Amino acid sequence: MPKFALAMLVSKVAAEVTVMVFGDSFGDTGPKWNTVQDMFDQRGVAATVKNAAIGGTTSCQWAGEENGMQMVNKAKDLFGEAGPDYVWYTLGGNDIWSDDNFQNCQKSVKGKDITDPAVQKCISDFTDNIIGCHSTMFDNFYKAFPNAKIMQAGYDIPCENLLCEATVNAAFAKNYCGNDGTCLNKVLHNWNTHHLDSMQAKYPQPAYTAIKLIGAAQKANKVAGADYDKPVYDKGANCRW
């Protein structure tokens, strides 16, 4: 984990840090909530990390449940009325494949460059929709826990073996990219940037911090030129990870 992300999470060193992981498979499958617990343990920081993430879920699914109070309710279930100090919020990726409007829009712009205004409109319209779902939960959460802080890291470049290309990757961007992994990575990075920049503009620091970790898996795998927020488009992530 980059130093700036660690610094954000461990700034409250005088007492035990409490963290709720809320969202999708990044929280309950991999990197997984207990990786965050391991990070604290390895550095001697007193912390309790608990998980409310469920793989395959979407931001708009969560926002549509219990009058938009799921994030609040899960926090109280796990940490009582005091709630957590921090939330690692990971949602939005599964909205891509589940949003029929975005998938149909991808079909309509297939063959156009990622910079084409029509492609950018597909991405921005989709992003505006899921930000509405994020905001439903965030606004309720901050009313209940005004001192809590939320961190959202977005998503990284995926594995691109035959299984991933035929399943997860195809569900996200096949309507626009076909089987072109470079195209998929460009779409993911472009959306990740638009998504997190828009969220950061709406919810300022320190209450909310967007961290662009896309490219981190490639950097860790020593892919030449890869860095945080600088993925190498024609390479995938290490599939063993």
Side-chain angles (χ1 to χ4, degrees):
M1 177 171 285
K3 291 181 179 178
F4 50 82
L6 176 62
M8 176 197 167
L9 288 171
V10 303
S11 59
K12 185 181 176 180
V13 295
E16 182 178 74
V17 175
T18 55
V19 182
M20 178 175 73
V21 177
F22 183 87
D24 54 26
S25 62
F26 263 36
D28 83 341
T29 305
K32 203 170 181 180
W33 66 273
N34 56 10
T35 303
V36 180
Q37 183 69 66
D38 291 344
M39 177 197 70
F40 287 119
D41 294 344
Q42 290 164 8
R43 290 162 175 80
V45 177
T48 297
V49 182
K50 296 183 179 181
N51 179 50
I54 300 174
T57 55
T58 73
S59 63
C60 292
Q61 174 187 344
W62 283 106
E65 296 174 353
E66 299 184 28
N67 296 315
M69 293 293 289
Q70 274 282 46
M71 199 169 165
V72 173
N73 294 342
K74 294 297 183 183
K76 289 182 178 180
D77 288 345
L78 294 174
F79 294 98
E81 292 300 316
D85 300 315
Y86 298 96
V87 176
W88 171 25
Y89 180 90
T90 170
L91 282 169
N94 292 316
D95 292 80
I96 293 175
W97 59 259
S98 66
D99 189 307
D100 290 339
N101 289 333
F102 184 47
Q103 290 297 321
N104 289 331
C105 197
Q106 286 189 44
K107 292 179 183 178
S108 74
V109 297
K110 187 172 184 177
K112 297 181 183 292
D113 187 79
I114 189 70
T115 60
D116 188 282
V119 180
Q120 288 298 302
K121 187 175 190 306
C122 287
I123 293 171
S124 63
D125 287 351
F126 163 69
T127 304
D128 289 346
N129 181 58
I130 62 170
I131 285 176
C133 296
H134 295 328
S135 299
T136 293
M137 291 186 285
F138 277 33
D139 294 347
N140 288 334
F141 183 82
Y142 283 129
K143 286 179 183 176
F145 308 110
N147 296 320
K149 296 178 174 60
I150 300 172
M151 185 272 284
Q152 186 174 11
Y155 297 86
D156 209 338
I157 294 298
C159 167
E160 293 179 2
N161 62 18
L162 291 177
L163 177 61
C164 288
E165 287 181 359
T167 55
V168 177
N169 298 355
F172 286 122
K174 187 171 185 177
N175 285 326
Y176 173 62
C177 295
N179 295 320
D180 186 343
T182 298
C183 173
L184 168 68
N185 292 339
K186 287 181 178 179
V187 171
L188 183 58
H189 189 203
N190 192 281
W191 168 69
N192 192 75
T193 300
H194 188 86
H195 181 204
L196 295 183
D197 284 353
S198 298
M199 284 296 292
Q200 191 66 82
K202 184 168 186 178
Y203 295 97
Q205 293 181 337
Y208 169 84
T209 300
I211 300 173
K212 297 172 186 172
L213 292 186
I214 189 168
Q218 290 181 336
K219 180 180 176 67
N221 200 38
K222 303 188 186 313
V223 173
D227 207 341
Y228 304 114
D229 199 25
K230 294 180 181 179
V232 176
Y233 294 136
D234 62 355
K235 304 288 184 183
N238 187 328
C239 294
R240 292 175 300 171
W241 297 353

